[in-house]
Amino acid sequence: MTYRIALVPLALAVLLVGAAPPAQAQSAADLYQQALRKDRGEGDLEAAILLYRQVLEGGDRELAARALVRIGESYERLGRTEAAAAYERVVREFADITSSAGEARARLAALRRAEAAGAAASASGLSLRLVWEGTEPGIDVEGQPTPDGRALTFVDWTTGDLAVRDLESGAVRHVTTTGYPEYALGSTLSPDGQRVAYFWTPDPWRPQLRVSRLDGSEQRTLLANAGHEYGYLTPHDWTPDGEHVLVNLWMPDHTARVAFVSTRDGSVRIVRDLAWRAPMRLGLSPDGRHIAFDARPERDEARHDIYLLSADGAAESVLVRHAANDLHPIWTPDGSHVLFSSDRGGSIDLWAVRVADGEPAGEPFLVKRDMAQNFFWPMGFTRAGSLFYAKDTGGGSIYTAAMDPATGRVAGGTEQPAAAYVGYNTSPHVSPDGRTVVYATRHGVPSLGHAAQLVIEELETGTVRKLAPGLRVDRKRARPRFTPDGRAVLARARNTVMGTGGLYRVDVASGTAERLLAPVEGANLSEMAVQLAGGDVLYGLTPQGAPERARLVRRTRDGAERVLLDGPIGASSLWDVSPDERWLAMVDRAPEGGSRLQLHPLEGGGEPRFLHHIPVNRAMLAEAGVAFSADGRWVFFGTTAEEYWASDADVEVWRVPADGSGPAESTGLSMPGLRHMTAAPDGLAFAAGPQVYHEVWVMDNVLEHLGRR
């Protein structure tokens, strides 16, 4: 998942800014920060609730609303019914604090969905349990339950190490202890639950397959990938005898191969070259004879069907064929059925098909409706037949804030202009005429990771349509930008049908996408690219493992390129172009320590204009970015307390005169997880709220339910 990668460069991109708020506000803020430390740092939820309640008595309505939401979350984590009452109070008494009220409504809706899901499952004989939930970096869903269902393997994103979480006590035990800049990814447990195979990437990036005992002993590298033979790999299952691991190998040309890797000597046996068919999940039958996988039936289709492949690669057949998108096959422990997710009913539902001797034995049938709004991932069965699965229930929302030009303060609070898919949206950019907004949404994107869809919405009517359905952007890294005429959108994206990535220009009217730039070997394209009025495009390029050598490139319409800036780009989202296209706002490292915000002339040379020094007592999130105001007079940037740089930290927005005539000043705008700032006609547009909110559920009585069908 993307945040696992972003944590390392983010640590390098943390920047700093100063100035203390007034004493009265500081007192309330101090209480709130103390509560956060108890809540997120120490896990002492009862103590955190007491501190949050003191914030409620302080008279600061915005901070009180925020504290009340945190109280509700704490009660949820404690499994107490007071959570709903806390959220209802926010909605009832703090409706004018739109960010907190919106978050409370979303959490209240999630509680009610959970209650409804439990009731529906109970009526069908199934039983559902929520066993883990939260925002990054506290939760990871690419692991697997132990055979007894008491624990989960996962990646602890505070260190990047593979770990095991006890689901009863919440205790975490690390399997690896290397930590960043190396880190783990997906993992799968051996049939006896004693060993774990996992993705590991050393620094620089070189995906490896490793294996270890679950207690951390006997760690070995099975696939070293020294020659970069594989661009990516995913371990999915073990053979029943524990002698081989079933993996999906992604080649440098983005084609996929199904393979077994020996746990004795690391030898690789290719079962089938799937070329462009791009499976999301492989599942090995309990007897080790058949592999179920999802794949596209045709190269130009985005949907998937379910297939069966003999373990020796000799035979392949279709298990499920339908016009819907059928994904994520997983075998039941007795090998009688393959379960899979499908959107054929209008939501993401769980379906099953009986299998006998490697062939479908009957038509697929519905097991459970409404498994998720977008993301559903089967993590594995326990020995007793309980299915662990994960879903994504969040991603933030889009807001606008009008600014008083005289005072620089927020005028009238915040609004949510994008009404569609609330709770799943990020990365807004308002069109030059102020009538539409483009953004990224996770809603309806049923994939593991951070893949998101570009959406354009008419602000007056609320009309929504998805742009270039075959394109996927990264919800954490996407920075879509309208062209100056508003007729197209630039975005770094991946074409899921063709398997190609790079910088794309998407026509707003037709939705067709044209690739402007292909990926550059050994370097990363910037998240953001800007088209100038004359048609030239600005983009950043950072050599892998060498952020100090980043450069900003200007590409003309005929494809000629020249470097405008070489070296000072601290993070690829920490720059913006002035409306008159004369200046580039940029954050880089200051010689005296900390960092600095400067303006660089876009053309004609000349010295940078210093705007603000960023000392060490405050931290600036790269996700917040920097943004010129619509009239070009101000540059906005975001800050947060240094120890709370996680994605849901409270971020405060400041502004500084672009002509360098005065000091930086707070706008009074502060929200959890505020990010992706861009100019709106009368202020700012941005996203806020958790970028990721994952839940791990358990479905009991699955085999009994299937046996009655």
Side-chain angles (χ1 to χ4, degrees):
M1 307 180 76
T2 305
Y3 56 77
R4 61 194 175 233
I5 299 171
L7 284 171
V8 178
L10 179 57
L12 298 175
V14 168
L15 305 171
L16 312 165
V17 75
Q24 184 177 357
Q26 182 68 50
S27 176
D30 279 348
L31 283 171
Y32 187 79
Q33 294 297 327
Q34 290 171 33
L36 282 177
R37 291 187 185 94
K38 291 291 183 183
D39 176 354
R40 295 167 184 168
E42 302 174 21
D44 190 344
L45 300 179
E46 297 284 6
I49 289 171
L50 292 176
L51 288 166
Y52 285 134
R53 290 197 177 281
Q54 292 182 51
V55 176
L56 296 181
E57 301 169 359
D60 185 324
R61 283 180 52 77
E62 186 167 346
L63 206 55
R66 216 179 297 165
L68 199 51
V69 171
R70 301 286 91 78
I71 289 173
E73 288 183 347
S74 298
Y75 278 137
E76 276 197 77
R77 291 163 62 190
L78 289 168
R80 289 168 53 177
T81 57
E82 295 98 319
Y87 296 138
E88 288 168 351
R89 183 180 170 190
V90 177
V91 174
R92 185 177 61 252
E93 299 181 16
F94 298 91
D96 57 315
I97 312 297
T98 54
S99 57
S100 295
E103 189 176 354
R105 289 190 190 95
R107 294 308 307 151
L108 197 57
L111 284 176
R112 290 168 178 163
R113 284 197 305 269
E115 292 171 359
S122 179
S124 68
L126 299 169
S127 173
L128 299 182
R129 295 179 284 127
L130 177 63
V131 296
W132 196 16
E133 63 173 338
T135 58
E136 58 174 332
I139 183 169
D140 174 74
V141 297
E142 292 190 59
Q144 191 174 8
T146 53
D148 59 12
R150 295 180 179 177
L152 279 174
T153 59
F154 77 106
V155 178
D156 179 354
W157 291 115
T158 62
T159 68
D161 285 302
L162 184 68
V164 179
R165 178 183 176 87
D166 186 298
L167 293 174
E168 292 185 4
S169 67
V172 171
R173 174 172 50 82
H174 282 182
V175 177
T176 67
T177 56
T178 304
Y180 295 121
E182 301 186 10
Y183 55 91
L185 290 178
S187 59
T188 180
L189 287 164
S190 60
D192 61 6
Q194 298 301 306
R195 291 179 292 167
V196 58
Y198 57 96
F199 178 120
W200 185 264
T201 181
D203 184 41
W205 173 270
R206 192 174 73 251
Q208 297 180 343
L209 179 66
R210 295 188 177 184
V211 67
S212 167
R213 296 193 67 81
L214 203 57
D215 62 7
S217 63
E218 301 179 18
Q219 295 187 21
R220 294 185 295 123
T221 299
L222 298 183
L223 284 184
N225 199 15
H228 294 268
E229 298 92 342
Y230 311 113
Y232 201 86
L233 60 87
T234 312
H236 287 279
D237 262 324
W238 292 61
T239 53
D241 59 9
E243 293 291 314
H244 294 84
V245 178
L246 176 66
V247 298
N248 190 8
L249 298 174
W250 296 88
M251 311 308 289
D253 63 359
H254 304 295
T255 58
R257 297 180 183 179
V258 179
F260 285 108
V261 179
S262 169
T263 57
R264 289 181 178 271
D265 58 16
S267 59
V268 178
R269 177 171 68 84
I270 302 297
V271 179
R272 179 64 62 92
D273 185 345
L274 295 178
W276 47 264
R277 298 170 70 190
M280 291 188 180
R281 196 180 198 282
L282 311 175
L284 184 64
S285 60
D287 62 9
R289 296 174 55 201
H290 299 96
I291 300 166
F293 66 94
D294 50 15
R296 291 179 284 150
E298 301 291 341
R299 187 179 181 92
D300 60 352
E301 290 193 60
R303 69 179 185 89
H304 287 59
D305 288 331
I306 308 296
Y307 297 83
L308 277 184
L309 177 65
S310 60
D312 61 6
E316 180 184 321
S317 60
V318 177
L319 184 60
V320 178
R321 174 162 287 161
H322 194 275
N325 200 20
D326 298 325
L327 296 164
H328 310 139
I330 184 171
W331 293 84
T332 55
D334 61 2
S336 64
H337 293 79
V338 170
L339 276 65
F340 61 95
S341 66
S342 178
D343 62 2
R344 64 185 68 186
S347 59
I348 297 180
D349 308 322
L350 184 65
W351 286 68
V353 60
R354 185 179 293 277
V355 182
D357 296 324
E359 298 291 338
E363 293 297 315
F365 58 90
L366 178 68
V367 177
K368 172 74 177 62
R369 286 200 183 277
D370 297 318
M371 297 300 291
Q373 291 294 316
N374 61 324
F375 164 91
F376 168 82
W377 182 254
M379 302 175 72
F381 274 98
T382 65
R383 194 177 289 118
S386 295
L387 174 64
F388 277 66
Y389 65 93
K391 62 180 182 178
D392 178 351
T393 62
S397 295
I398 289 170
Y399 299 86
T400 58
M403 302 289 184
D404 184 324
T407 66
R409 307 289 291 182
V410 176
T414 58
E415 297 182 358
Q416 288 184 277
Y421 316 135
V422 169
Y424 292 89
N425 304 330
T426 191
S427 269
H429 191 234
V430 180
S431 61
D433 61 10
R435 296 179 179 178
T436 58
V437 60
V438 63
Y439 55 91
T441 186
R442 275 283 291 162
H443 192 276
V445 183
S447 64
L448 182 65
H450 292 280
Q453 169 76 61
L454 286 177
V455 169
I456 192 163
E457 184 166 344
E458 303 289 336
L459 292 175
E460 290 186 6
T461 65
T463 303
V464 175
R465 56 192 175 86
K466 293 185 175 180
L467 287 176
L471 283 189
R472 292 291 182 266
V473 296
D474 187 307
R475 67 168 151 191
K476 285 197 68 176
R477 297 182 172 183
R479 300 292 192 277
R481 289 293 182 273
F482 278 102
T483 56
D485 58 11
R487 295 180 180 178
V489 170
L490 297 188
R492 192 181 73 175
R494 179 168 180 78
N495 187 315
T496 58
V497 176
M498 302 306 296
T500 55
L503 177 64
Y504 285 82
R505 179 189 284 119
V506 184
D507 184 87
V508 169
S510 67
T512 57
E514 169 197 6
R515 189 167 74 163
L516 300 181
L517 285 171
V520 178
E521 186 175 354
N524 297 318
L525 287 173
S526 60
E527 301 138 15
M528 188 171 73
V530 174
Q531 181 173 313
L532 303 179
D536 290 4
V537 172
L538 303 183
Y539 69 92
L541 199 63
T542 305
Q544 292 174 0
E548 72 281 357
R549 292 166 46 208
R551 55 191 183 272
L552 190 72
V553 180
R554 181 166 184 160
R555 180 185 176 88
T556 64
R557 300 181 70 172
D558 60 6
E561 295 186 343
R562 57 192 175 90
V563 175
L564 297 183
L565 290 173
D566 195 346
I569 306 173
S572 58
S573 61
L574 288 174
W575 59 277
D576 194 22
V577 178
S578 63
D580 62 8
E581 299 183 357
R582 294 179 56 206
W583 297 97
L584 185 80
M586 178 78 68
V587 176
D588 64 359
R589 296 187 182 278
E592 65 272 30
S595 300
R596 60 191 175 184
L597 175 61
Q598 298 190 117
L599 294 190
H600 292 261
L602 197 58
E603 287 294 346
E607 292 299 315
R609 177 187 297 167
F610 173 83
L611 295 184
H612 188 71
H613 180 245
I614 305 171
V616 181
N617 62 333
R618 295 278 284 179
M620 178 174 175
L621 287 181
E623 279 85 352
V626 295
F628 276 98
S629 60
D631 60 10
R633 296 176 55 209
W634 303 91
V635 178
F636 295 99
F637 55 93
T639 70
T640 186
E642 187 173 0
E643 59 267 40
Y644 294 117
W645 55 271
S647 67
D648 56 350
D650 287 339
V651 177
E652 183 180 9
V653 177
W654 292 61
R655 72 172 190 173
V656 62
D659 62 6
S661 61
E665 57 188 17
S666 173
T667 66
L669 174 61
S670 176
M671 292 177 65
L674 188 149
R675 58 192 177 275
H676 304 173
M677 289 189 303
T678 61
D682 59 354
L684 288 175
F686 54 91
Q691 294 202 44
V692 178
Y693 197 100
H694 282 141
E695 296 177 346
V696 177
W697 289 74
V698 181
M699 180 183 288
D700 296 314
N701 305 323
V702 178
L703 298 182
E704 294 86 341
H705 178 76
L706 296 176
R708 293 195 293 270
R709 300 300 299 262

